[in-house]
Structure formats: C-alpha cells, structure tokens
C-alpha cells in the first residue's frame, strides 16, 4: 500500500471521523460571576445612626422568605392537561356562552340606565293635554279622572290604567289615551248615545244596542220615550228574554221615528212580545201586536191622512187586526171626543165610497178609554183634548216609581 490512498470513499470516511472529533469538543468553562459586595450593615450600637432594615438581617422571630422558581406562560400552558376534540368543543362553547352573558349583562345595564334617565328627566314631563270635551265629560272632569300631579313623567304614565279610569264613567262608551313625545297626552272619549229610557224596577238609560249603561238622574230623560214591561228579575239575571223584549221595543221605536209622527212617551212590550205605543201629547194608544210593525204603521199614517185634524182626537187605534183574504183592511179606533167620533162615523156612513180605511166603533171602547172628559160648556161638539199622562203611572197603567 502506498502512503496516499487514492480511494475517494476512504478519504471521505476519514474526513467524517475527523469532523466528529471536532464537533465533540467541549466548550470552554466560563468563570462564575463575582458576587457584588454588599454594604456592611451599620452597627446598632453607633450613636445617632439607624439600622438599615432593607440590608440588615431579618427581624427576630420572622420566618425566612421562601422564593420558589418563577413559572412562565409556556410552563403554565404546558401544565394544562391535553384534551381531545370533544373537550375543545366544550371549552369553545363555554367561552362563547361566557362572552354572550357578559354582553347581555352589559346591554341590560345600559337599558336600565337609559330607562331610569328618560323616566326621571324633566324633558319628558307631562305638560300638555289634547282632548275634545264631550257633553257629559268636560275638561275639568277629565283632569280629575286622570289625576296627574305636576312633574309627572309622561313615560312613567300607565296609559291602560288611565283608559280604565275614564271608561268607568257611566256615560263613556270607549276611551283611549296615547303619548305624544316629549310632553303631550292625547285623550279620545266616545260617549253612549241614549236611545230611550228603561223602567224595570228603576229607571235606566239604554243605548241603541239595548244595553242599560246608567241609572236615570234628574234632567237626563228629556223627551226620550220609556220602554216598559221588562221583568226586573230577568233583567238582573241577564235572561235572554229581557234582552229580546228590549230589542223588540227599540225596533218598534226606531221604525216609528223613521217618519215624522207624533212624539211617543211610552213603548210597552208585554210577555208575549206584543207592542203598544203611546203618544206624548194625547196619550193615544197604538196597538201594534206581534209581527212586523212597518205595515201596521203604514195603516196608521193612512188613517191620520184620512182624518186630518180629527186625528188628534184618537184615543185607541188597533193596528194588529189581520184582514181576511180578499177583504179590505180594517182599523178599529175610538176617539176622546164623542162628538168627533160621531161626526167621523156619520161621514163614513153617508159616503158613497168608503175612505181609505174602514173606521168603526170598537165595542166597549168607552170602558177602555183612560179619560173621557165632558164637552166644554158653550162649545157643543168640541171636547177638551186629553193631556199627556201625568202622575205616578204611565198611559199603560205601569207605575212610574217603586
């Protein structure tokens, strides 16, 4: 073998061995840092000098402080046990929930602070009231019902409670209270419209739906007719028969008032539903009976047109007679003045052609007449007109008061 080895692989292996030896060389030792000499403590016995407690030894009886090794963030993260995918999802959900609760709590605090501000701020103090007075609810009465004290915040007002207080008034049918920021309340009131008075133990005012909405007081009736014949026990118990009778009387009243006719004072409805109307001026009774009242009132209009001025002398008119098929319609009537009655009968008997309606004397009509005054002296053939029913009874005989 020669001194040099011409094999390249052998040369490479030898170089690698030499490099390993170089890499395995140990680092040079570094001397430890020289400790800094501390300032010697001043002896306590030196006069006028205090002991430096920061440098001196700890106090007698004090426990020596134990300082552990510092833990960094990486060590803390490494100390957390590793969890799987399910654990990560759990921690993610818990973190989102915590964030959501924190945000919700913050929003709640903000809303509460805002509400407290707007409900106590002087900017939203109720200062104005928009209201159109009604006949039975004037402005001063409305203010008393609202009961708002000066300085009341408009946002702190309970509008539903105010509506209930206003609707509790007997004449009020519907009420609404609305806010108009920053300082105005808008109040709307709709009153009941009295259609008639109702006598059933006590006097009541009823609307067009037949609902009694208040007790009748002095001066409230005016020229309203009174519906009578309603049983009080049925009315108090809410019996459907009482309500049906009231609706029956109102229907007859509305049909009668649809055409200009003498004013009524009473509408009587008996247990069977038969209706009788009584005029206010003379107390004449119009017996309509059951069934539809429109054709019967048409007969009454024809009778008044035929009688002319003598129609004011009618006492009782039976409009509930059903005519025989093929026969003319008949209206049985009686008069307050016997002379006027005789004149009408004579004219009907002497005429070649009967009038629009055949008028005959009702049997026993004199017994049914409530009042039959004698003719006035010095004026034969003319009697006194009957006045409207007064006293403690209506024309139907029902007492006005208990």
């Amino acid at each position: 073998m020669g001194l040099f080895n011409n094999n390249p692989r052998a040369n490479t292996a030898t170089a690698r061995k030499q490099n390993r030896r170089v890499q395995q060389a140990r680092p040079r030792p570094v001397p430890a840092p020289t400790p800094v000499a501390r300032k010697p403590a001043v002896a306590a016995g030196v006069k006028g000098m205090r002991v430096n407690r920061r440098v001196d030894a700890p106090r007698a009886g004090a426990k020596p402080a134990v300082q552990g090794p510092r833990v960094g963030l990486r060590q803390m993260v490494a100390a957390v046990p590793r969890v799987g995918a399910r654990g990560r999802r759990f921690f993610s959900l818990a973190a989102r929930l915590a964030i959501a609760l924190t945000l919700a709590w913050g929003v709640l605090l903000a809303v509460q602070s805002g509400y407290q501000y707007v409900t106590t701020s002087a900017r939203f103090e109720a200062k104005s009231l928009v209201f159109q007075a009604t006949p039975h609810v004037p402005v001063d009465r409305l203010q008393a019902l609202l009961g708002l004290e000066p300085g009341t915040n408009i946002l702190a007002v309970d509008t539903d409670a105010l509506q209930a207080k206003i609707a509790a008034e007997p004449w009020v049918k519907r009420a609404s209270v609305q806010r108009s920021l920053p300082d105005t309340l808008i109040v709307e009131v709709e009153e009941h419209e009295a259609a008639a008075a109702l006598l059933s133990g006590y006097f009541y005012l009823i609307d067009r739906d037949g609902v009694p909405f208040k007790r009748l007081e002095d001066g409230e009736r005016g020229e309203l007719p009174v519906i009578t014949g309603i049983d009080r026990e049925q009315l108090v118990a809410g019996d459907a028969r009482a309500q049906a009778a009231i609706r029956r009387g109102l229907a007859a009243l509305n049909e009668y008032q649809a055409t200009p006719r003498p004013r009524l004072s009473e509408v009587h409805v008996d247990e069977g539903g038969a209706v009788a109307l009584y005029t206010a001026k003379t107390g004449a009774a119009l017996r309509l009976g059951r069934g539809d009242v429109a054709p019967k009132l048409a007969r009454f209009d024809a009778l008044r047109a035929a009688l002319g001025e003598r129609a004011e002398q009618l006492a009782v008119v039976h409009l509930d007679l059903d005519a025989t098929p093929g026969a003319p319609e008949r209206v049985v009537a009686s008069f307050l003045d016997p002379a006027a009655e005789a004149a009408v009968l004579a004219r009907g008997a002497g005429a070649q052609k009967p009038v629009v309606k055949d008028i005959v004397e009702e049997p026993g009509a004199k017994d049914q007449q409530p009042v039959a005054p004698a003719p006035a002296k010095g004026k034969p053939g003319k009697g006194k007109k009957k006045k409207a029913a007064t006293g403690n009874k209506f024309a139907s005989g029902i007492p006005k008061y208990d």
Side-chain angles (χ1 to χ4, degrees):
M1 294 179 62
L3 182 62
F4 297 99
N5 190 359
N6 295 326
N7 189 357
R9 293 183 179 180
N11 295 334
T12 304
T14 305
R16 288 180 180 177
K17 290 181 181 181
Q18 293 177 357
N19 292 339
R20 288 178 183 175
R21 292 178 182 178
V22 175
Q23 291 177 358
Q24 293 177 358
R26 296 182 180 179
R28 296 179 181 179
V30 179
T34 305
V36 180
R38 299 178 61 183
K39 186 178 180 179
V42 181
V46 180
K47 186 177 181 180
M49 299 296 292
R50 294 183 179 180
V51 179
N52 191 343
R53 294 181 178 177
R54 297 181 179 177
V55 181
D56 297 341
R59 298 180 182 180
K63 296 182 179 180
V66 179
Q67 185 176 2
R70 295 183 179 180
V71 180
L73 180 60
R74 293 182 179 180
Q75 288 77 3
M76 295 176 61
V77 174
V80 176
R82 297 182 178 180
V83 295
R86 183 177 299 177
R88 288 194 297 270
R89 287 194 299 268
F90 173 77
F91 283 116
S92 176
L93 180 60
R96 294 179 182 178
L97 182 60
I99 295 174
L101 291 176
T102 304
L103 293 176
W105 181 255
V107 172
L108 180 61
L109 290 178
V111 171
Q112 183 179 3
S113 300
Y115 177 79
Q116 185 176 3
Y117 168 75
V118 297
T119 54
T120 57
S121 175
R123 175 177 174 79
F124 299 99
E125 178 182 350
K127 299 178 181 179
S128 303
L129 176 64
V130 178
F131 171 65
Q132 185 176 1
T134 57
H136 300 92
V137 185
V139 176
D140 54 350
R141 178 56 182 166
L142 179 67
Q143 292 177 346
L145 291 174
L146 295 177
L148 298 179
E149 299 180 357
T152 302
N153 191 284
I154 194 173
L155 297 176
V157 172
D158 189 352
T159 56
D160 293 337
L162 293 182
Q163 289 180 184
K165 290 173 63 176
I166 299 174
E169 283 290 288
W171 275 100
V172 176
K173 181 178 181 180
R174 184 189 61 84
S176 67
V177 180
Q178 298 178 353
R179 302 184 185 93
S180 179
L181 298 178
D183 57 1
T184 304
L185 282 177
I186 302 176
V187 181
E188 296 180 358
V189 172
E190 179 184 356
E191 288 191 355
H192 288 281
E193 183 180 359
L198 174 66
L199 176 60
S200 182
Y202 300 95
F203 282 96
Y204 301 93
L205 288 175
I206 59 176
D207 56 16
R208 297 195 177 276
D209 296 329
V211 178
F213 60 89
K214 76 178 299 291
R215 289 275 296 271
L216 182 65
E217 299 179 4
D218 294 339
E220 290 184 341
R221 179 189 171 187
E223 295 183 352
L224 293 175
V226 180
I227 298 179
T228 59
I230 310 302
D231 186 81
R232 177 167 178 78
E233 294 183 356
Q234 295 179 358
L235 180 67
V236 173
D239 196 327
R241 292 175 293 180
Q243 191 64 30
I246 295 175
R247 289 196 298 267
R248 169 70 173 164
L250 284 177
L253 176 62
N254 294 334
E255 188 67 31
Y256 183 89
Q257 294 177 342
T259 302
R261 297 185 177 100
R263 185 171 66 88
L264 296 179
S265 63
E266 181 186 359
V267 178
H268 182 74
V269 183
D270 62 13
E271 295 182 356
V275 179
L277 308 179
Y278 297 87
T279 60
K281 186 176 181 180
T282 62
L286 310 180
R287 303 190 182 279
L288 304 180
R290 302 177 182 84
D292 191 8
V293 300
K296 301 172 183 180
L297 292 176
R299 299 178 195 172
F300 175 66
D301 293 337
L303 175 62
R304 293 181 65 248
L307 293 178
E309 295 181 356
R310 291 188 176 90
E312 299 295 332
Q313 298 292 328
L314 289 171
V316 180
V317 181
H318 285 271
L319 302 169
D320 55 347
L321 300 177
D322 296 330
T324 305
E329 295 182 352
R330 295 172 60 87
V331 178
V332 178
S334 61
F335 293 81
L336 296 174
D337 188 358
E341 184 176 351
V344 172
L345 292 175
R347 188 185 66 176
Q352 297 295 331
K353 185 176 181 181
V355 294
V356 179
K357 304 295 180 183
D358 185 14
I359 305 173
V360 299
E361 181 181 3
E362 178 187 3
K366 295 182 180 180
D367 297 336
Q368 298 181 7
Q369 296 175 4
V371 179
K377 295 182 179 180
K379 295 181 180 180
K382 292 185 179 181
K384 294 182 179 180
K385 294 182 179 180
K386 180 183 176 183
K387 296 182 179 181
T390 58
N392 294 333
K393 290 186 178 181
F394 288 100
S396 60
I398 294 179
K400 291 185 177 180
Y401 308 101
D402 293 339

